[in-house]
PDB file of all heavy atoms in Angstrom:
ATOM      1  N   ASP A   1      -7.410  -5.905   3.267  1.00 97.00           N
ATOM      2  CA  ASP A   1      -8.003  -6.829   4.216  1.00 97.00           C
ATOM      3  C   ASP A   1      -8.892  -7.858   3.512  1.00 97.00           C
ATOM      4  O   ASP A   1      -8.886  -9.047   3.854  1.00 97.00           O
ATOM      5  CB  ASP A   1      -8.825  -6.047   5.243  1.00 97.00           C
ATOM      6  CG  ASP A   1      -9.556  -6.937   6.229  1.00 97.00           C
ATOM      7  OD1 ASP A   1      -8.889  -7.599   7.047  1.00 97.00           O
ATOM      8  OD2 ASP A   1     -10.799  -6.985   6.173  1.00 97.00           O
ATOM      9  N   ILE A   2      -9.642  -7.420   2.513  1.00 98.00           N
ATOM     10  CA  ILE A   2     -10.586  -8.294   1.822  1.00 98.00           C
ATOM     11  C   ILE A   2      -9.887  -9.189   0.802  1.00 98.00           C
ATOM     12  O   ILE A   2     -10.223 -10.379   0.679  1.00 98.00           O
ATOM     13  CB  ILE A   2     -11.676  -7.441   1.148  1.00 98.00           C
ATOM     14  CG1 ILE A   2     -12.545  -6.751   2.214  1.00 98.00           C
ATOM     15  CG2 ILE A   2     -12.543  -8.288   0.216  1.00 98.00           C
ATOM     16  CD1 ILE A   2     -13.415  -5.631   1.669  1.00 98.00           C
ATOM     17  N   LEU A   3      -8.916  -8.661   0.083  1.00 98.00           N
ATOM     18  CA  LEU A   3      -8.355  -9.377  -1.063  1.00 98.00           C
ATOM     19  C   LEU A   3      -6.989  -9.998  -0.800  1.00 98.00           C
ATOM     20  O   LEU A   3      -6.489 -10.746  -1.643  1.00 98.00           O
ATOM     21  CB  LEU A   3      -8.261  -8.431  -2.259  1.00 98.00           C
ATOM     22  CG  LEU A   3      -9.590  -7.827  -2.736  1.00 98.00           C
ATOM     23  CD1 LEU A   3      -9.354  -6.849  -3.865  1.00 98.00           C
ATOM     24  CD2 LEU A   3     -10.565  -8.918  -3.161  1.00 98.00           C
ATOM     25  N   SER A   4      -6.403  -9.710   0.349  1.00 97.00           N
ATOM     26  CA  SER A   4      -5.087 -10.268   0.662  1.00 97.00           C
ATOM     27  C   SER A   4      -5.121 -11.791   0.626  1.00 97.00           C
ATOM     28  O   SER A   4      -5.999 -12.423   1.214  1.00 97.00           O
ATOM     29  CB  SER A   4      -4.645  -9.792   2.047  1.00 97.00           C
ATOM     30  OG  SER A   4      -3.386 -10.302   2.375  1.00 97.00           O
ATOM     31  N   GLY A   5      -4.162 -12.368  -0.078  1.00 97.00           N
ATOM     32  CA  GLY A   5      -4.060 -13.820  -0.160  1.00 97.00           C
ATOM     33  C   GLY A   5      -4.882 -14.460  -1.258  1.00 97.00           C
ATOM     34  O   GLY A   5      -4.744 -15.661  -1.514  1.00 97.00           O
ATOM     35  N   ASP A   6      -5.735 -13.698  -1.928  1.00 98.00           N
ATOM     36  CA  ASP A   6      -6.525 -14.221  -3.045  1.00 98.00           C
ATOM     37  C   ASP A   6      -5.654 -14.166  -4.301  1.00 98.00           C
ATOM     38  O   ASP A   6      -5.423 -13.096  -4.858  1.00 98.00           O
ATOM     39  CB  ASP A   6      -7.799 -13.397  -3.229  1.00 98.00           C
ATOM     40  CG  ASP A   6      -8.768 -13.990  -4.250  1.00 98.00           C
ATOM     41  OD1 ASP A   6      -8.315 -14.766  -5.121  1.00 98.00           O
ATOM     42  OD2 ASP A   6      -9.970 -13.678  -4.180  1.00 98.00           O
ATOM     43  N   GLU A   7      -5.168 -15.293  -4.741  1.00 97.00           N
ATOM     44  CA  GLU A   7      -4.212 -15.334  -5.847  1.00 97.00           C
ATOM     45  C   GLU A   7      -4.821 -14.934  -7.184  1.00 97.00           C
ATOM     46  O   GLU A   7      -4.101 -14.739  -8.157  1.00 97.00           O
ATOM     47  CB  GLU A   7      -3.588 -16.726  -5.943  1.00 97.00           C
ATOM     48  CG  GLU A   7      -2.745 -17.080  -4.724  1.00 97.00           C
ATOM     49  CD  GLU A   7      -2.100 -18.450  -4.838  1.00 97.00           C
ATOM     50  OE1 GLU A   7      -2.396 -19.171  -5.827  1.00 97.00           O
ATOM     51  OE2 GLU A   7      -1.301 -18.789  -3.959  1.00 97.00           O
ATOM     52  N   ARG A   8      -6.134 -14.789  -7.222  1.00 98.00           N
ATOM     53  CA  ARG A   8      -6.793 -14.320  -8.448  1.00 98.00           C
ATOM     54  C   ARG A   8      -6.700 -12.801  -8.597  1.00 98.00           C
ATOM     55  O   ARG A   8      -7.095 -12.258  -9.639  1.00 98.00           O
ATOM     56  CB  ARG A   8      -8.267 -14.739  -8.447  1.00 98.00           C
ATOM     57  CG  ARG A   8      -8.504 -16.235  -8.327  1.00 98.00           C
ATOM     58  CD  ARG A   8      -9.983 -16.526  -8.111  1.00 98.00           C
ATOM     59  NE  ARG A   8     -10.465 -15.929  -6.859  1.00 98.00           N
ATOM     60  CZ  ARG A   8     -11.751 -15.911  -6.495  1.00 98.00           C
ATOM     61  NH1 ARG A   8     -12.669 -16.439  -7.292  1.00 98.00           N
ATOM     62  NH2 ARG A   8     -12.107 -15.360  -5.341  1.00 98.00           N
ATOM     63  N   VAL A   9      -6.201 -12.139  -7.563  1.00 98.00           N
ATOM     64  CA  VAL A   9      -6.170 -10.677  -7.523  1.00 98.00           C
ATOM     65  C   VAL A   9      -4.745 -10.205  -7.290  1.00 98.00           C
ATOM     66  O   VAL A   9      -4.022 -10.751  -6.454  1.00 98.00           O
ATOM     67  CB  VAL A   9      -7.069 -10.129  -6.397  1.00 98.00           C
ATOM     68  CG1 VAL A   9      -7.088  -8.603  -6.417  1.00 98.00           C
ATOM     69  CG2 VAL A   9      -8.486 -10.680  -6.514  1.00 98.00           C
ATOM     70  N   LEU A  10      -4.342  -9.172  -8.024  1.00 98.00           N
ATOM     71  CA  LEU A  10      -3.116  -8.435  -7.729  1.00 98.00           C
ATOM     72  C   LEU A  10      -3.515  -7.009  -7.390  1.00 98.00           C
ATOM     73  O   LEU A  10      -4.240  -6.368  -8.155  1.00 98.00           O
ATOM     74  CB  LEU A  10      -2.176  -8.431  -8.930  1.00 98.00           C
ATOM     75  CG  LEU A  10      -0.960  -7.502  -8.811  1.00 98.00           C
ATOM     76  CD1 LEU A  10       0.000  -7.986  -7.720  1.00 98.00           C
ATOM     77  CD2 LEU A  10      -0.232  -7.368 -10.152  1.00 98.00           C
ATOM     78  N   MET A  11      -3.056  -6.520  -6.244  1.00 98.00           N
ATOM     79  CA  MET A  11      -3.293  -5.130  -5.868  1.00 98.00           C
ATOM     80  C   MET A  11      -1.983  -4.377  -5.871  1.00 98.00           C
ATOM     81  O   MET A  11      -1.000  -4.811  -5.255  1.00 98.00           O
ATOM     82  CB  MET A  11      -3.932  -5.032  -4.476  1.00 98.00           C
ATOM     83  CG  MET A  11      -4.203  -3.593  -4.031  1.00 98.00           C
ATOM     84  SD  MET A  11      -5.009  -3.517  -2.393  1.00 98.00           S
ATOM     85  CE  MET A  11      -5.114  -1.732  -2.170  1.00 98.00           C
ATOM     86  N   VAL A  12      -1.940  -3.251  -6.579  1.00 98.00           N
ATOM     87  CA  VAL A  12      -0.773  -2.372  -6.567  1.00 98.00           C
ATOM     88  C   VAL A  12      -1.237  -0.986  -6.150  1.00 98.00           C
ATOM     89  O   VAL A  12      -2.356  -0.561  -6.476  1.00 98.00           O
ATOM     90  CB  VAL A  12      -0.055  -2.317  -7.930  1.00 98.00           C
ATOM     91  CG1 VAL A  12       0.395  -3.709  -8.362  1.00 98.00           C
ATOM     92  CG2 VAL A  12      -0.917  -1.692  -9.007  1.00 98.00           C
ATOM     93  N   GLY A  13      -0.398  -0.266  -5.413  1.00 98.00           N
ATOM     94  CA  GLY A  13      -0.790   1.062  -4.964  1.00 98.00           C
ATOM     95  C   GLY A  13       0.390   1.862  -4.466  1.00 98.00           C
ATOM     96  O   GLY A  13       1.500   1.345  -4.268  1.00 98.00           O
ATOM     97  N   ILE A  14       0.130   3.128  -4.268  1.00 98.00           N
ATOM     98  CA  ILE A  14       1.057   4.026  -3.569  1.00 98.00           C
ATOM     99  C   ILE A  14       0.260   4.719  -2.483  1.00 98.00           C
ATOM    100  O   ILE A  14      -0.965   4.881  -2.591  1.00 98.00           O
ATOM    101  CB  ILE A  14       1.738   5.057  -4.499  1.00 98.00           C
ATOM    102  CG1 ILE A  14       0.675   5.900  -5.239  1.00 98.00           C
ATOM    103  CG2 ILE A  14       2.687   4.387  -5.472  1.00 98.00           C
ATOM    104  CD1 ILE A  14       0.435   7.259  -4.653  1.00 98.00           C
ATOM    105  N   PHE A  15       0.942   5.141  -1.420  1.00 98.00           N
ATOM    106  CA  PHE A  15       0.260   5.897  -0.374  1.00 98.00           C
ATOM    107  C   PHE A  15       1.304   6.592   0.476  1.00 98.00           C
ATOM    108  O   PHE A  15       2.446   6.134   0.594  1.00 98.00           O
ATOM    109  CB  PHE A  15      -0.609   4.983   0.508  1.00 98.00           C
ATOM    110  CG  PHE A  15       0.142   3.856   1.168  1.00 98.00           C
ATOM    111  CD1 PHE A  15       0.656   3.994   2.447  1.00 98.00           C
ATOM    112  CD2 PHE A  15       0.338   2.663   0.500  1.00 98.00           C
ATOM    113  CE1 PHE A  15       1.355   2.960   3.051  1.00 98.00           C
ATOM    114  CE2 PHE A  15       1.033   1.617   1.091  1.00 98.00           C
ATOM    115  CZ  PHE A  15       1.538   1.766   2.370  1.00 98.00           C
ATOM    116  N   GLN A  16       0.916   7.719   1.066  1.00 98.00           N
ATOM    117  CA  GLN A  16       1.793   8.445   1.980  1.00 98.00           C
ATOM    118  C   GLN A  16       1.949   7.652   3.270  1.00 98.00           C
ATOM    119  O   GLN A  16       0.982   7.111   3.809  1.00 98.00           O
ATOM    120  CB  GLN A  16       1.204   9.810   2.276  1.00 98.00           C
ATOM    121  CG  GLN A  16       2.051  10.682   3.197  1.00 98.00           C
ATOM    122  CD  GLN A  16       1.428  12.040   3.428  1.00 98.00           C
ATOM    123  OE1 GLN A  16       0.775  12.596   2.541  1.00 98.00           O
ATOM    124  NE2 GLN A  16       1.617  12.579   4.620  1.00 98.00           N
ATOM    125  N   HIS A  17       3.174   7.593   3.769  1.00 98.00           N
ATOM    126  CA  HIS A  17       3.446   6.829   4.996  1.00 98.00           C
ATOM    127  C   HIS A  17       4.594   7.493   5.759  1.00 98.00           C
ATOM    128  O   HIS A  17       5.572   7.901   5.147  1.00 98.00           O
ATOM    129  CB  HIS A  17       3.824   5.388   4.641  1.00 98.00           C
ATOM    130  CG  HIS A  17       4.037   4.513   5.846  1.00 98.00           C
ATOM    131  ND1 HIS A  17       2.990   3.979   6.566  1.00 98.00           N
ATOM    132  CD2 HIS A  17       5.168   4.115   6.455  1.00 98.00           C
ATOM    133  CE1 HIS A  17       3.478   3.260   7.559  1.00 98.00           C
ATOM    134  NE2 HIS A  17       4.793   3.337   7.524  1.00 98.00           N
ATOM    135  N   PRO A  18       4.504   7.623   7.078  1.00 97.00           N
ATOM    136  CA  PRO A  18       3.379   7.213   7.942  1.00 97.00           C
ATOM    137  C   PRO A  18       2.220   8.200   7.842  1.00 97.00           C
ATOM    138  O   PRO A  18       2.423   9.397   7.832  1.00 97.00           O
ATOM    139  CB  PRO A  18       3.998   7.228   9.335  1.00 97.00           C
ATOM    140  CG  PRO A  18       5.108   8.226   9.255  1.00 97.00           C
ATOM    141  CD  PRO A  18       5.647   8.130   7.865  1.00 97.00           C
ATOM    142  N   PHE A  19       1.026   7.659   7.796  1.00 97.00           N
ATOM    143  CA  PHE A  19      -0.179   8.461   7.594  1.00 97.00           C
ATOM    144  C   PHE A  19      -1.368   7.554   7.827  1.00 97.00           C
ATOM    145  O   PHE A  19      -1.254   6.327   7.763  1.00 97.00           O
ATOM    146  CB  PHE A  19      -0.178   9.019   6.157  1.00 97.00           C
ATOM    147  CG  PHE A  19      -1.043  10.228   5.937  1.00 97.00           C
ATOM    148  CD1 PHE A  19      -1.096  11.252   6.850  1.00 97.00           C
ATOM    149  CD2 PHE A  19      -1.787  10.342   4.767  1.00 97.00           C
ATOM    150  CE1 PHE A  19      -1.884  12.381   6.627  1.00 97.00           C
ATOM    151  CE2 PHE A  19      -2.573  11.457   4.533  1.00 97.00           C
ATOM    152  CZ  PHE A  19      -2.622  12.483   5.464  1.00 97.00           C
ATOM    153  N   TYR A  20      -2.535   8.138   8.063  1.00 97.00           N
ATOM    154  CA  TYR A  20      -3.752   7.352   8.233  1.00 97.00           C
ATOM    155  C   TYR A  20      -3.925   6.391   7.047  1.00 97.00           C
ATOM    156  O   TYR A  20      -3.717   6.785   5.909  1.00 97.00           O
ATOM    157  CB  TYR A  20      -4.963   8.281   8.299  1.00 97.00           C
ATOM    158  CG  TYR A  20      -6.270   7.559   8.496  1.00 97.00           C
ATOM    159  CD1 TYR A  20      -6.760   7.308   9.773  1.00 97.00           C
ATOM    160  CD2 TYR A  20      -7.020   7.116   7.408  1.00 97.00           C
ATOM    161  CE1 TYR A  20      -7.962   6.624   9.958  1.00 97.00           C
ATOM    162  CE2 TYR A  20      -8.209   6.437   7.586  1.00 97.00           C
ATOM    163  CZ  TYR A  20      -8.668   6.193   8.857  1.00 97.00           C
ATOM    164  OH  TYR A  20      -9.848   5.513   9.047  1.00 97.00           O
ATOM    165  N   PRO A  21      -4.282   5.134   7.294  1.00 97.00           N
ATOM    166  CA  PRO A  21      -4.642   4.478   8.559  1.00 97.00           C
ATOM    167  C   PRO A  21      -3.465   3.740   9.214  1.00 97.00           C
ATOM    168  O   PRO A  21      -3.680   2.787   9.941  1.00 97.00           O
ATOM    169  CB  PRO A  21      -5.725   3.492   8.129  1.00 97.00           C
ATOM    170  CG  PRO A  21      -5.283   3.063   6.761  1.00 97.00           C
ATOM    171  CD  PRO A  21      -4.639   4.278   6.146  1.00 97.00           C
ATOM    172  N   TYR A  22      -2.240   4.207   8.935  1.00 96.00           N
ATOM    173  CA  TYR A  22      -1.033   3.684   9.587  1.00 96.00           C
ATOM    174  C   TYR A  22      -0.862   2.182   9.343  1.00 96.00           C
ATOM    175  O   TYR A  22      -0.611   1.402  10.262  1.00 96.00           O
ATOM    176  CB  TYR A  22      -1.036   4.018  11.083  1.00 96.00           C
ATOM    177  CG  TYR A  22      -1.246   5.501  11.305  1.00 96.00           C
ATOM    178  CD1 TYR A  22      -2.486   5.994  11.692  1.00 96.00           C
ATOM    179  CD2 TYR A  22      -0.209   6.409  11.068  1.00 96.00           C
ATOM    180  CE1 TYR A  22      -2.690   7.360  11.858  1.00 96.00           C
ATOM    181  CE2 TYR A  22      -0.407   7.769  11.230  1.00 96.00           C
ATOM    182  CZ  TYR A  22      -1.640   8.237  11.629  1.00 96.00           C
ATOM    183  OH  TYR A  22      -1.840   9.587  11.773  1.00 96.00           O
ATOM    184  N   SER A  23      -1.005   1.803   8.094  1.00 96.00           N
ATOM    185  CA  SER A  23      -0.875   0.401   7.700  1.00 96.00           C
ATOM    186  C   SER A  23      -0.281   0.346   6.306  1.00 96.00           C
ATOM    187  O   SER A  23      -0.080   1.375   5.657  1.00 96.00           O
ATOM    188  CB  SER A  23      -2.245  -0.289   7.712  1.00 96.00           C
ATOM    189  OG  SER A  23      -3.131   0.330   6.785  1.00 96.00           O
ATOM    190  N   GLY A  24       0.017  -0.867   5.855  1.00 94.00           N
ATOM    191  CA  GLY A  24       0.409  -1.080   4.473  1.00 94.00           C
ATOM    192  C   GLY A  24       1.888  -1.153   4.204  1.00 94.00           C
ATOM    193  O   GLY A  24       2.306  -1.597   3.131  1.00 94.00           O
ATOM    194  N   ALA A  25       2.719  -0.699   5.143  1.00 94.00           N
ATOM    195  CA  ALA A  25       4.158  -0.729   4.887  1.00 94.00           C
ATOM    196  C   ALA A  25       4.688  -2.152   4.804  1.00 94.00           C
ATOM    197  O   ALA A  25       5.660  -2.425   4.097  1.00 94.00           O
ATOM    198  CB  ALA A  25       4.896   0.056   5.973  1.00 94.00           C
ATOM    199  N   ASP A  26       4.052  -3.065   5.541  1.00 90.00           N
ATOM    200  CA  ASP A  26       4.431  -4.481   5.484  1.00 90.00           C
ATOM    201  C   ASP A  26       3.295  -5.244   4.823  1.00 90.00           C
ATOM    202  O   ASP A  26       2.203  -5.384   5.398  1.00 90.00           O
ATOM    203  CB  ASP A  26       4.670  -5.026   6.899  1.00 90.00           C
ATOM    204  CG  ASP A  26       5.814  -4.304   7.597  1.00 90.00           C
ATOM    205  OD1 ASP A  26       6.842  -4.068   6.945  1.00 90.00           O
ATOM    206  OD2 ASP A  26       5.640  -3.949   8.776  1.00 90.00           O
ATOM    207  N   ALA A  27       3.528  -5.724   3.602  1.00 78.00           N
ATOM    208  CA  ALA A  27       2.485  -6.412   2.843  1.00 78.00           C
ATOM    209  C   ALA A  27       2.066  -7.693   3.555  1.00 78.00           C
ATOM    210  O   ALA A  27       2.898  -8.446   4.053  1.00 78.00           O
ATOM    211  CB  ALA A  27       2.966  -6.731   1.441  1.00 78.00           C
ATOM    212  N   LYS A  28       0.751  -7.926   3.578  1.00 75.00           N
ATOM    213  CA  LYS A  28       0.226  -9.118   4.224  1.00 75.00           C
ATOM    214  C   LYS A  28       0.392 -10.367   3.375  1.00 75.00           C
ATOM    215  O   LYS A  28       0.398 -11.482   3.890  1.00 75.00           O
ATOM    216  CB  LYS A  28      -1.267  -8.922   4.529  1.00 75.00           C
ATOM    217  CG  LYS A  28      -1.569  -7.885   5.590  1.00 75.00           C
ATOM    218  CD  LYS A  28      -3.066  -7.827   5.857  1.00 75.00           C
ATOM    219  CE  LYS A  28      -3.400  -6.852   6.967  1.00 75.00           C
ATOM    220  NZ  LYS A  28      -4.857  -6.807   7.242  1.00 75.00           N
ATOM    221  N   ALA A  29       0.492 -10.204   2.072  1.00 95.00           N
ATOM    222  CA  ALA A  29       0.507 -11.366   1.189  1.00 95.00           C
ATOM    223  C   ALA A  29       1.236 -11.020  -0.102  1.00 95.00           C
ATOM    224  O   ALA A  29       1.448  -9.847  -0.430  1.00 95.00           O
ATOM    225  CB  ALA A  29      -0.920 -11.824   0.893  1.00 95.00           C
ATOM    226  N   LYS A  30       1.590 -12.031  -0.851  1.00 96.00           N
ATOM    227  CA  LYS A  30       2.366 -11.849  -2.081  1.00 96.00           C
ATOM    228  C   LYS A  30       1.581 -11.138  -3.171  1.00 96.00           C
ATOM    229  O   LYS A  30       2.188 -10.592  -4.100  1.00 96.00           O
ATOM    230  CB  LYS A  30       2.841 -13.201  -2.593  1.00 96.00           C
ATOM    231  CG  LYS A  30       3.876 -13.878  -1.686  1.00 96.00           C
ATOM    232  CD  LYS A  30       4.316 -15.214  -2.253  1.00 96.00           C
ATOM    233  CE  LYS A  30       5.340 -15.879  -1.351  1.00 96.00           C
ATOM    234  NZ  LYS A  30       5.764 -17.203  -1.869  1.00 96.00           N
ATOM    235  N   ASN A  31       0.271 -11.147  -3.071  1.00 98.00           N
ATOM    236  CA  ASN A  31      -0.526 -10.479  -4.111  1.00 98.00           C
ATOM    237  C   ASN A  31      -0.740  -8.999  -3.818  1.00 98.00           C
ATOM    238  O   ASN A  31      -1.530  -8.352  -4.504  1.00 98.00           O
ATOM    239  CB  ASN A  31      -1.867 -11.186  -4.301  1.00 98.00           C
ATOM    240  CG  ASN A  31      -2.793 -11.033  -3.095  1.00 98.00           C
ATOM    241  OD1 ASN A  31      -2.349 -11.088  -1.949  1.00 98.00           O
ATOM    242  ND2 ASN A  31      -4.088 -10.864  -3.349  1.00 98.00           N
ATOM    243  N   MET A  32      -0.036  -8.460  -2.824  1.00 98.00           N
ATOM    244  CA  MET A  32      -0.136  -7.050  -2.477  1.00 98.00           C
ATOM    245  C   MET A  32       1.182  -6.337  -2.784  1.00 98.00           C
ATOM    246  O   MET A  32       2.234  -6.726  -2.275  1.00 98.00           O
ATOM    247  CB  MET A  32      -0.445  -6.890  -0.987  1.00 98.00           C
ATOM    248  CG  MET A  32      -1.776  -7.469  -0.551  1.00 98.00           C
ATOM    249  SD  MET A  32      -3.165  -6.435  -1.065  1.00 98.00           S
ATOM    250  CE  MET A  32      -4.235  -7.689  -1.800  1.00 98.00           C
ATOM    251  N   LEU A  33       1.128  -5.306  -3.629  1.00 97.00           N
ATOM    252  CA  LEU A  33       2.300  -4.463  -3.894  1.00 97.00           C
ATOM    253  C   LEU A  33       1.884  -3.015  -3.658  1.00 97.00           C
ATOM    254  O   LEU A  33       1.577  -2.269  -4.582  1.00 97.00           O
ATOM    255  CB  LEU A  33       2.806  -4.651  -5.326  1.00 97.00           C
ATOM    256  CG  LEU A  33       3.993  -3.770  -5.725  1.00 97.00           C
ATOM    257  CD1 LEU A  33       5.230  -4.090  -4.881  1.00 97.00           C
ATOM    258  CD2 LEU A  33       4.313  -3.910  -7.205  1.00 97.00           C
ATOM    259  N   ASN A  34       1.831  -2.646  -2.396  1.00 94.00           N
ATOM    260  CA  ASN A  34       1.454  -1.295  -1.999  1.00 94.00           C
ATOM    261  C   ASN A  34       2.697  -0.576  -1.503  1.00 94.00           C
ATOM    262  O   ASN A  34       3.330  -0.999  -0.542  1.00 94.00           O
ATOM    263  CB  ASN A  34       0.374  -1.338  -0.924  1.00 94.00           C
ATOM    264  CG  ASN A  34      -0.927  -1.924  -1.452  1.00 94.00           C
ATOM    265  OD1 ASN A  34      -1.392  -1.513  -2.503  1.00 94.00           O
ATOM    266  ND2 ASN A  34      -1.493  -2.885  -0.743  1.00 94.00           N
ATOM    267  N   VAL A  35       3.069   0.504  -2.189  1.00 97.00           N
ATOM    268  CA  VAL A  35       4.368   1.139  -1.994  1.00 97.00           C
ATOM    269  C   VAL A  35       4.222   2.394  -1.141  1.00 97.00           C
ATOM    270  O   VAL A  35       3.630   3.390  -1.578  1.00 97.00           O
ATOM    271  CB  VAL A  35       5.006   1.490  -3.346  1.00 97.00           C
ATOM    272  CG1 VAL A  35       6.417   2.041  -3.129  1.00 97.00           C
ATOM    273  CG2 VAL A  35       5.029   0.281  -4.276  1.00 97.00           C
ATOM    274  N   PRO A  36       4.753   2.399   0.086  1.00 98.00           N
ATOM    275  CA  PRO A  36       4.698   3.610   0.910  1.00 98.00           C
ATOM    276  C   PRO A  36       5.698   4.649   0.425  1.00 98.00           C
ATOM    277  O   PRO A  36       6.823   4.310   0.025  1.00 98.00           O
ATOM    278  CB  PRO A  36       5.071   3.090   2.305  1.00 98.00           C
ATOM    279  CG  PRO A  36       5.900   1.873   2.053  1.00 98.00           C
ATOM    280  CD  PRO A  36       5.398   1.269   0.786  1.00 98.00           C
ATOM    281  N   VAL A  37       5.285   5.908   0.454  1.00 98.00           N
ATOM    282  CA  VAL A  37       6.185   6.996   0.071  1.00 98.00           C
ATOM    283  C   VAL A  37       6.101   8.087   1.128  1.00 98.00           C
ATOM    284  O   VAL A  37       5.069   8.263   1.777  1.00 98.00           O
ATOM    285  CB  VAL A  37       5.833   7.580  -1.315  1.00 98.00           C
ATOM    286  CG1 VAL A  37       5.973   6.517  -2.397  1.00 98.00           C
ATOM    287  CG2 VAL A  37       4.446   8.186  -1.336  1.00 98.00           C
ATOM    288  N   PRO A  38       7.178   8.839   1.337  1.00 98.00           N
ATOM    289  CA  PRO A  38       7.154   9.881   2.363  1.00 98.00           C
ATOM    290  C   PRO A  38       6.361  11.100   1.918  1.00 98.00           C
ATOM    291  O   PRO A  38       6.119  11.317   0.721  1.00 98.00           O
ATOM    292  CB  PRO A  38       8.635  10.221   2.548  1.00 98.00           C
ATOM    293  CG  PRO A  38       9.270   9.870   1.241  1.00 98.00           C
ATOM    294  CD  PRO A  38       8.516   8.682   0.719  1.00 98.00           C
ATOM    295  N   ALA A  39       5.952  11.896   2.897  1.00 98.00           N
ATOM    296  CA  ALA A  39       5.287  13.163   2.603  1.00 98.00           C
ATOM    297  C   ALA A  39       6.146  13.996   1.660  1.00 98.00           C
ATOM    298  O   ALA A  39       7.376  13.921   1.672  1.00 98.00           O
ATOM    299  CB  ALA A  39       5.027  13.926   3.902  1.00 98.00           C
ATOM    300  N   PHE A  40       5.460  14.773   0.821  1.00 98.00           N
ATOM    301  CA  PHE A  40       6.050  15.713  -0.131  1.00 98.00           C
ATOM    302  C   PHE A  40       6.685  15.027  -1.344  1.00 98.00           C
ATOM    303  O   PHE A  40       7.393  15.664  -2.121  1.00 98.00           O
ATOM    304  CB  PHE A  40       7.066  16.640   0.564  1.00 98.00           C
ATOM    305  CG  PHE A  40       6.507  17.276   1.806  1.00 98.00           C
ATOM    306  CD1 PHE A  40       7.000  16.949   3.054  1.00 98.00           C
ATOM    307  CD2 PHE A  40       5.451  18.174   1.719  1.00 98.00           C
ATOM    308  CE1 PHE A  40       6.454  17.506   4.203  1.00 98.00           C
ATOM    309  CE2 PHE A  40       4.904  18.741   2.863  1.00 98.00           C
ATOM    310  CZ  PHE A  40       5.404  18.414   4.104  1.00 98.00           C
ATOM    311  N   THR A  41       6.418  13.731  -1.523  1.00 98.00           N
ATOM    312  CA  THR A  41       6.833  13.060  -2.756  1.00 98.00           C
ATOM    313  C   THR A  41       6.052  13.647  -3.926  1.00 98.00           C
ATOM    314  O   THR A  41       4.838  13.838  -3.851  1.00 98.00           O
ATOM    315  CB  THR A  41       6.574  11.546  -2.670  1.00 98.00           C
ATOM    316  OG1 THR A  41       7.295  11.017  -1.554  1.00 98.00           O
ATOM    317  CG2 THR A  41       7.016  10.839  -3.943  1.00 98.00           C
ATOM    318  N   ARG A  42       6.744  13.914  -5.026  1.00 98.00           N
ATOM    319  CA  ARG A  42       6.107  14.549  -6.174  1.00 98.00           C
ATOM    320  C   ARG A  42       5.950  13.570  -7.333  1.00 98.00           C
ATOM    321  O   ARG A  42       6.368  12.416  -7.270  1.00 98.00           O
ATOM    322  CB  ARG A  42       6.904  15.786  -6.613  1.00 98.00           C
ATOM    323  CG  ARG A  42       6.854  16.911  -5.589  1.00 98.00           C
ATOM    324  CD  ARG A  42       7.590  18.152  -6.073  1.00 98.00           C
ATOM    325  NE  ARG A  42       7.383  19.281  -5.172  1.00 98.00           N
ATOM    326  CZ  ARG A  42       6.401  20.158  -5.270  1.00 98.00           C
ATOM    327  NH1 ARG A  42       5.514  20.038  -6.249  1.00 98.00           N
ATOM    328  NH2 ARG A  42       6.290  21.157  -4.422  1.00 98.00           N
ATOM    329  N   GLY A  43       5.364  14.074  -8.391  1.00 98.00           N
ATOM    330  CA  GLY A  43       5.010  13.250  -9.529  1.00 98.00           C
ATOM    331  C   GLY A  43       6.131  12.431 -10.136  1.00 98.00           C
ATOM    332  O   GLY A  43       5.940  11.239 -10.422  1.00 98.00           O
ATOM    333  N   PRO A  44       7.306  13.004 -10.408  1.00 98.00           N
ATOM    334  CA  PRO A  44       8.360  12.205 -11.044  1.00 98.00           C
ATOM    335  C   PRO A  44       8.730  10.953 -10.254  1.00 98.00           C
ATOM    336  O   PRO A  44       8.956   9.887 -10.844  1.00 98.00           O
ATOM    337  CB  PRO A  44       9.540  13.196 -11.110  1.00 98.00           C
ATOM    338  CG  PRO A  44       8.884  14.534 -11.201  1.00 98.00           C
ATOM    339  CD  PRO A  44       7.670  14.445 -10.327  1.00 98.00           C
ATOM    340  N   ALA A  45       8.767  11.050  -8.927  1.00 98.00           N
ATOM    341  CA  ALA A  45       9.086   9.874  -8.120  1.00 98.00           C
ATOM    342  C   ALA A  45       7.966   8.843  -8.182  1.00 98.00           C
ATOM    343  O   ALA A  45       8.221   7.629  -8.223  1.00 98.00           O
ATOM    344  CB  ALA A  45       9.348  10.284  -6.671  1.00 98.00           C
TER     345      ALA A  45
END
Protein backbone atom coordinates (compact mmCIF):
# COMPACT_ATOMS: atom_id res chain seq x y z
CA ASP A 1 0.00 0.00 0.00
CA ILE A 2 2.80 2.43 0.89
CA LEU A 3 5.35 1.61 -1.81
CA SER A 4 3.17 0.56 -4.75
CA GLY A 5 3.94 2.66 -7.81
CA ASP A 6 7.18 4.12 -6.41
CA GLU A 7 9.63 3.28 -9.19
CA ARG A 8 12.56 3.72 -6.81
CA VAL A 9 11.44 0.57 -4.98
CA LEU A 10 11.10 -3.06 -6.04
CA MET A 11 9.19 -5.35 -3.70
CA VAL A 12 9.41 -9.13 -4.07
CA GLY A 13 7.72 -11.65 -1.80
CA ILE A 14 5.97 -14.94 -1.30
CA PHE A 15 2.87 -15.57 0.79
CA GLN A 16 0.24 -18.23 1.38
CA HIS A 17 -2.94 -17.58 -0.60
CA PRO A 18 -5.86 -17.50 -0.01
CA PHE A 19 -5.01 -16.40 3.51
CA TYR A 20 -5.06 -13.31 5.71
CA PRO A 21 -5.16 -10.46 4.69
CA TYR A 22 -6.70 -11.87 1.47
CA SER A 23 -4.76 -9.59 -0.84
CA GLY A 24 -1.72 -9.56 -3.08
CA ALA A 25 -2.71 -12.04 -5.78
CA ASP A 26 -3.22 -9.16 -8.22
CA ALA A 27 -0.26 -6.77 -8.13
CA LYS A 28 -1.19 -3.11 -7.86
CA ALA A 29 1.84 -1.86 -9.76
CA LYS A 30 4.80 -2.97 -11.85
CA ASN A 31 7.20 -2.57 -8.95
CA MET A 32 5.42 -5.32 -7.00
CA LEU A 33 6.37 -9.00 -7.49
CA ASN A 34 4.52 -10.78 -4.70
CA VAL A 35 4.00 -14.45 -5.50
CA PRO A 36 1.00 -16.26 -3.96
CA VAL A 37 1.50 -19.94 -3.15
CA PRO A 38 -1.01 -22.53 -1.92
CA ALA A 39 -1.06 -23.99 1.57
CA PHE A 40 1.44 -26.78 2.25
CA THR A 41 4.00 -25.46 -0.25
CA ARG A 42 7.44 -26.61 0.88
CA GLY A 43 10.96 -25.32 0.60
CA PRO A 44 11.98 -26.67 -2.82
CA ALA A 45 9.06 -24.92 -4.51
